[in-house]
Amino acid sequence: MRDLVIRAPDDFHVHFRSGPGLEKFVRRTAALFDRALPMPNTLPPLADAATLRAYAASVRAAAPDLDLVLSFKLLPGMDTETVRSLAGAGARVGKYYPAGATTHSSDGIREPGEIREALAAMEDAGLVLSVHGEDPAAPVLERERAFLPVVRGLLDDYPRLRIVLEHLSTREAAEFVAAGPRRLGATVTAHHLSFTTDDLAGRALNPHLYCKPVLQDAAHRAALRKAAAACERVFFGSDSAPHPRDRKESGSIPPGIYAAPVALPLLAAAFEEEDALDRLEDFASARGASFYGLPPNRSRVRLVRETWTVPDEVDGAVPAAAGSALAWTAERV
Ligand code: DOR
Ligand code: ZN
């Protein structure tokens, strides 16, 4: 197959940051995606109605045609009134970051009891709980598996709450989602479908492929590819997470992969390798909208089989696969 035209995709997990980079990052995503769910671990965090409103306005100013699914960050002790006012400001999603699990999460949750009131309010308001599913106390490659019992507990304790387990990285998490109820969904990134621990650290250490959850081995990647191709409740979220080059090349490297500039080409290559290109539209442009109860996008993008070399720097950050040749490009129709 040479070209593939699909419905414009959704990115149900993306970091636009705040401050000077925001405009470029938003526009990079809007170039190919019709809808985005910006993550709330900004500085300051999106955790009250006024901050969320101002943030949404700055994202909309950068890309007025990009549809937004707004999220807020759950903080310990958050009360019903705060959740209601966030919903009033347009939030549809509350994000659970285990304390210390990833970038800007030191103010996160130590155990779910800390947000009992907020979760009950979210359940009542029909908001979706988005979960960074890692237990920071477990060994780094075990963290996702170690957190699955917490997700099980959330499903049991809040029987009407819709939950998205973000950026699956292991076979066990994919199986957990596939075996779960209809109100449990999951995102998978293009980098977890494309790279492994060996790409990160097998030869020279590549800090630009360091993210949380950390890339796992090829057997896990194969399980993620199968889930992305076939599981009705598994959909795309890029977890595109730019950091300045000097931080990513420092002695204390923050997790985060700038994936937006290469996301669709990486997805096309991974789905092609699985002989599943006919499922790409479902994964990137249909299932997520259906999980969130949103209408499908109307415009189209074209994936073209045309080799190009990923630049060393895009929007002031180093993208995933910088310097490598990719077999697909993408453009709006
Ligand atoms: O690698 C990551 N980077 N994982 C996350 O969960 C957060 C993100 C970031 O904000 O940089
Ligand atoms: Zn993220």
Side-chain angles (χ1 to χ4, degrees), residues 313-331:
E313 198 166 303
V314 179
D315 308 323
V318 180
S324 307
L326 299 185
W328 292 86
T329 59
E331 62 194 21

Side-chain angles (χ1 to χ4, degrees), residues 92-151:
R92 292 166 180 265
V93 181
K95 178 79 187 269
Y96 181 132
Y97 284 102
T102 187
T103 300
H104 307 328
S105 64
S106 56
D107 57 355
I109 312 304
R110 260 159 267 280
E111 54 93 19
E114 292 180 345
I115 48 169
R116 196 172 291 129
E117 186 177 330
L119 291 174
M122 284 178 61
E123 191 176 34
D124 284 343
L127 303 185
V128 171
L129 176 67
S130 159
V131 179
H132 182 112
E134 287 195 284
D135 175 356
V140 71
L141 292 174
E142 300 298 323
R143 287 178 186 177
E144 186 174 78
R145 281 182 281 252
F147 197 79
L148 293 176
V150 178
V151 182

Side-chain angles (χ1 to χ4, degrees), residues 2 5-6 30 39 56 121 151-152 172 176 183 214 223 278 280 320:
R2 200 156 175 89
V5 173
I6 62 170
M39 283 288 144
V151 182
R152 164 55 53 208
E172 291 83 353
F176 178 89
R183 63 193 170 89
V214 171
D278 59 333
L280 179 58

